Amino acid sequence: MQNTVLIVDDEKEIADLVEIYLVSDGFRVLKAEDAKAGLSCIENDVVDLAILDIMLPEMDGLEMCKEIRKTKNIPIIFLSARSTDLDKIMGLGMGADDYVTKPFSPLELGARVKSQLRRYHELNPGGQKFKDHSGCISIHGINIDKENHMVVVEDKEVKLTPIEFDILYLLASNPGKVFSTDEIFEKVWNEKVYEANNTVMVHIRRLRSKLKEDQRKDKIISTVWGVGYKIEK
């Protein structure tokens, strides 16, 4: 099945360049010059991944990312001229899955698109039921199926983004072990970034919300102040 990628960038030359490479890789491409048009595409079409510029007219890419995350778990990649560590932390903290700086290699961007889509489709296999096999973890009433990338809480499937799933699986597969925010970032995002604390903290907060921790007597993910996060045995 052909995957659809949405490109939101007000620089036509860049959007056209990315489109050429993605189409040659077999993707269907939609383009929008601003956030409003991009959100309309997501609402009215089937979009599997979005590539967003940050500096967009009216609503910027960060705000657009927040809007998408209210209803969608699709992978989001920022493609931006802002290249500082702080910019990257802000982008990932808003819920994006990856961040590529301009100028960029179209081949590298294409590889990142494929990687994010692979993780996304593993996490959303469609219609599969939870199975009991060696790749599963059951802890604190949560069933985590690594093979099918599914999370079930009290017989209800919880939809997580690929990043959220990987954070949960990392903590649940090492019960009792405390991971610092830097360790979580390096293991989940597979790279190092300066001051990863805010990025990880935002994703932990979203994960806790989806697991409905506020409705439980015991916390699933424990915060070890000044150290990091863990799931108790």
Side-chain angles (χ1 to χ4, degrees), residues 32-66:
E33 294 184 356
D34 57 50
K36 183 178 180 180
L39 291 172
S40 179
C41 286
I42 291 174
E43 181 178 350
N44 299 308
D45 209 321
V46 177
V47 174
D48 299 287
L49 180 145
I51 298 174
L52 312 180
D53 186 14
I54 289 182
M55 294 179 285
L56 296 171
E58 298 183 20
M59 179 190 293
D60 66 22
L62 297 173
E63 286 299 317
M64 182 179 177
C65 181
K66 286 176 62 176

Side-chain angles (χ1 to χ4, degrees), residues 128-191:
Q128 299 187 46
K129 298 298 183 181
F130 186 83
K131 299 177 182 179
D132 185 16
H133 55 68
S134 59
C136 294
I137 296 173
S138 294
I139 188 167
H140 299 293
I142 303 172
N143 294 315
I144 307 167
D145 185 341
K146 177 66 172 178
E147 180 177 312
N148 295 314
H149 280 67
M150 293 179 66
V151 174
V152 176
V153 181
E154 297 179 353
D155 296 324
K156 293 183 179 179
E157 184 179 351
V158 178
K159 294 293 186 181
L160 302 180
T161 67
I163 292 295
E164 291 163 352
F165 181 91
D166 287 349
I167 291 174
L168 178 62
Y169 191 82
L170 172 66
L171 297 177
S173 59
N174 297 275
K177 177 178 172 58
V178 181
F179 287 89
S180 70
T181 53
D182 285 346
E183 287 176 317
I184 293 172
F185 194 94
E186 289 179 22
K187 290 179 181 296
V188 172
W189 278 268
N190 295 316
E191 59 180 294

